Amino acid sequence: MLPSPSPSSAHWLSLVGSIWLQTINGPNADFPVYSSQLKDLKQISQVQLNFLAFASDAGKLFGWFSGVAALHLPLWLVAFVGASFGLVGYGVQYLFLDSPSLRYWHLFLLTSLAGNGICWINTVCYLLCIRNFGGRSRVAVSLATSYLGLSAKVYTSLASSIPGLANTSATKAYLLLNAVVPMLVTVVVAPSLRVVELVTTTAAASTDAAFLVMFAITLATGACAVVGSIGSTSSSGLSSREHMVSLGVLLATPILIPLGLRVRESLNKIWETKRENRIHDLGADDIVAIDIPDAAAESVKEGDVADAAENMKPREEVGGLQLLRRLDFWLYFFSYMFSGTLGLVFLNNLGQIAESRLLAQTSTLVSLSSSFGFFGRLLPSFMDYYSAKSGYSISRTGSMASLMAPMAGAFFLLLNPSNFFLYLSTAVIGTCTGAITSVAVSATTELFGTENFGVNHNVVVSNIPVGSLCFGYFAAYLYQRGAAAGGGGGGHRCIGAACYHETFVLWGAMCAVGTLLCSVLYARSRSFAGRLPAAAGGAVRTSFLGRLANLVSRRWW
């Protein structure tokens, strides 16, 4: 077995830091919990409230600044900039929320600033996973981004379990948490936010074992989140504080992986030192006999690593204005907007959707979407890990297309007024949205390369504010029209399944269009998408479904 570059304890420590950052880097995900209260407190309409949800996404229009900054600044500093934007954006709202001097346009600008800070932290996490894990970067990215799906769950659990916050208004409690928590976590993980050169080792088994342990911890964390979300609907089960403690312990557990690897590395160094001392006692002829094979192996090893790196390259590196001239970019842009972004808009409107269905606890629905979003983000990591070990290639664009179809069906299921279908569709949309946003990170590198990833991906996700504005405004307009027509509640509220009936029809149709666009993108990119480096003594294989898709695409495209 030939040696290959493998992550060490320092690389895993950076992954744990990324996981913790991602866990708290969705402060805007708790917006549906307090949005109705904020609407009443500031006396704003549903359309104005929708623009506040858009404001958080609007910060992504300038997210490419973080990609440029990451080229010139240390990653820990980039993370601090992002946390500072959130501290100011949400902190000022918390301090002056009850003051009439805090106007609506102040809320919009401050929310946009905080939304831009999310991009800075995301950029740091993505770059750490891509640069520190080489051929396993897809698995590392999916693992880290899966924890972003837990943000809403973590914030709702904190708000209900911290005694001081439980006695204040929901709006102020969440604004305070959104401002302070990201900065505190960034301070803790800052020393681990650095790129470390991969070391060449034959201990691939330890890397596989570390990933398997990480998968087990991640599954346990997701299960705890789901149980807590479902259990909150009944009086039985753990209290909010007990649930938060158990969730916190599981979130802290990944630190055991780099600590265990560090102990193993220290023991290996001691063993190597003893081995060198024994070799030193041998004669000169014996030393030559030992060194010659090692040199030959090193030569073969370097060639093998170079070949693997060459095979991982995309069709070509694309960046700058050249990106905007590519048809693949626009297919990718709009298919993402009609799927992942559409799912985010749905999640932003969960508060009003739950209110129109007369659900007592909006936080339960938000926690449910967050927990299933977590598993959705984790799913690509499992697929990448096991397909890579088997030598099979999974196309990111093909994966995205397959995730959009059930999402479109879930929107149409929402036309049924039953609360059962509301919970079911929320779980499906949360899962698919999480998986699509996770897959999209690797799809950007697959289509356009890694050199300009920091800028390229932030250009791609600029579709989120565009989609949030268009789809969110349409939903808010129809909601407001239903409220004005009576809607069962009068005033600014609309009650009944009809409030979002037309909205769900449009969203389902647009998601179906996104599925078609992504299928076209997969057909165009099939020749280079999803390639894996050739294994020693074997070539890259494609799964049966992949071969079938290639056959169909060659026939029709």
Side-chain angles (χ1 to χ4, degrees):
M1 179 178 178
L2 291 174
S4 59
S6 188
S8 64
S9 59
H11 301 90
W12 277 95
L13 187 61
S14 72
L15 179 60
V16 173
S18 299
I19 284 172
W20 289 349
L21 280 179
Q22 290 285 278
T23 303
I24 50 80
N25 197 36
N28 55 344
D30 57 33
F31 180 74
V33 180
Y34 65 88
S35 58
S36 294
Q37 189 180 95
L38 179 64
K39 182 171 70 171
D40 294 337
L41 182 64
K42 304 305 290 185
Q43 292 296 305
I44 57 179
S45 68
Q46 180 65 28
V47 173
Q48 288 176 308
L49 186 68
N50 171 74
F51 279 124
L52 284 184
F54 158 72
S56 180
D57 296 327
K60 294 180 174 64
L61 289 171
F62 304 97
W64 58 271
F65 277 113
S66 63
V68 175
L71 296 174
H72 306 284
L73 299 176
L75 292 181
W76 63 266
L77 183 57
V78 176
F80 267 113
V81 172
S84 300
F85 286 170
L87 182 65
V88 174
Y90 288 116
V92 173
Q93 291 185 58
Y94 168 77
L95 292 174
F96 298 99
L97 183 65
D98 298 325
S99 172
S101 60
L102 186 66
R103 307 286 185 180
Y104 176 77
W105 67 272
H106 293 147
L107 290 174
F108 186 92
L109 292 179
L110 289 169
T111 304
S112 298
L113 179 66
N116 183 252
I118 294 174
C119 296
W120 289 69
I121 295 178
N122 278 340
T123 298
V124 170
C125 296
Y126 297 156
L127 289 176
L128 281 173
C129 293
I130 290 171
R131 295 176 181 174
N132 277 349
F133 281 84
R136 297 295 184 94
S137 61
R138 282 185 172 188
V139 183
V141 166
S142 296
L143 267 173
T145 56
S146 66
Y147 280 82
L148 184 61
L150 283 182
S151 284
K153 178 61 184 175
V154 168
Y155 282 108
T156 54
S157 297
L158 285 172
S160 61
S161 60
I162 298 178
L165 295 179
N167 299 325
T168 186
S169 69
T171 304
K172 298 203 73 171
Y174 282 103
L175 287 175
L176 178 61
L177 289 173
N178 293 349
V180 174
V181 173
M183 178 57 76
L184 292 177
V185 174
T186 302
V187 170
V188 171
V189 304
S192 69
L193 304 181
R194 59 192 179 93
V195 177
V196 186
E197 234 179 280
L198 285 169
V199 294
T200 301
T201 176
T202 56
S206 63
T207 301
D208 289 338
F211 273 116
L212 289 175
V213 172
M214 190 66 235
F215 283 140
I217 295 171
T218 306
L219 284 173
T221 305
C224 178
V226 171
V227 169
S229 301
I230 298 175
S232 62
T233 61
S234 63
S235 58
S236 60
L238 296 176
S239 67
S240 58
R241 187 174 301 180
E242 290 171 336
H243 175 64
M244 187 65 238
V245 170
S246 60
L247 189 61
V249 170
L250 287 169
L251 288 173
T253 305
I255 195 64
L256 297 177
I257 295 177
L259 289 178
L261 288 175
R262 182 59 182 167
V263 171
R264 181 190 180 107
E265 290 165 7
S266 299
L267 293 175
N268 284 341
K269 284 182 180 179
I270 294 174
W271 184 83
E272 285 293 333
T273 302
K274 291 181 178 179
R275 179 174 175 271
E276 287 174 4
N277 290 337
R278 285 197 300 268
I279 292 176
H280 186 268
D281 294 334
L282 297 175
D285 292 339
D286 294 326
I287 295 175
V288 173
I290 293 172
D291 286 343
I292 290 175
D294 287 347
E298 183 70 23
S299 175
V300 174
K301 170 188 65 183
E302 290 176 357
D304 182 61
V305 171
D307 291 342
E310 183 66 26
N311 284 330
M312 283 298 291
K313 289 183 179 179
R315 179 172 49 179
E316 62 178 303
E317 294 286 344
V318 181
L321 294 177
Q322 186 183 11
L323 185 72
L324 304 180
R325 301 191 188 105
R326 298 299 180 97
L327 176 60
D328 286 353
F329 167 77
W330 293 109
L331 287 171
Y332 183 32
F333 184 91
F334 284 109
S335 62
Y336 193 143
M337 187 167 76
F338 294 159
S339 57
T341 297
L342 198 54
L344 294 175
V345 173
F346 167 78
L347 299 178
N348 284 338
N349 282 270
L350 268 182
Q352 276 60 53
I353 293 172
E355 184 182 71
S356 69
R357 299 287 184 98
L358 298 178
L359 290 182
Q361 292 183 319
T362 304
S363 60
T364 300
L365 199 62
V366 174
S367 295
L368 186 70
S369 67
S370 175
S371 301
F372 277 91
F374 169 79
F375 280 110
R377 290 172 182 271
L378 182 62
L379 181 62
S381 184
F382 278 115
M383 296 174 64
D384 285 333
Y385 178 79
Y386 287 105
S387 64
K389 285 181 69 66
S390 303
Y392 288 97
S393 172
I394 297 180
S395 167
R396 313 311 274 170
T397 52
S399 299
M400 289 177 67
S402 64
L403 288 164
M404 294 177 190
M407 189 173 172
F411 281 118
F412 290 115
L413 279 179
L414 286 167
L415 298 177
N416 190 301
S418 169
N419 285 341
F420 169 77
F421 286 102
L422 174 60
Y423 282 106
L424 176 63
S425 296
T426 298
V428 172
I429 294 172
T431 301
C432 293
T433 300
I436 289 170
T437 52
S438 177
V439 169
V441 178
S442 298
T444 301
T445 59
E446 179 179 274
L447 292 169
F448 311 117
T450 59
E451 281 186 17
N452 303 288
F453 169 81
V455 175
N456 288 351
H457 193 65
N458 281 294
V459 172
V460 170
V461 297
S462 64
N463 78 83
I464 295 178
V466 176
S468 178
L469 177 63
C470 298
F471 300 130
Y473 177 79
F474 180 82
Y477 170 76
L478 292 178
Y479 179 96
Q480 200 70 28
R481 189 181 68 179
H492 290 301
R493 300 184 187 279
C494 180
I495 304 299
C499 298
Y500 282 92
H501 186 277
E502 295 175 69
T503 300
F504 293 147
V505 171
L506 176 72
W507 286 357
M510 296 309 296
C511 195
V513 172
T515 306
L516 177 62
L517 291 177
C518 201
S519 299
V520 174
L521 177 61
Y522 168 69
R524 287 176 53 83
S525 63
R526 68 186 184 275
S527 61
F528 65 92
R531 293 185 303 178
L532 293 173
V540 178
R541 294 179 290 174
T542 306
S543 66
F544 170 76
L545 290 176
R547 293 195 297 271
L548 181 61
N550 287 338
L551 178 63
V552 173
S553 57
R554 280 198 301 270
R555 190 175 183 87
W556 293 103
W557 301 99

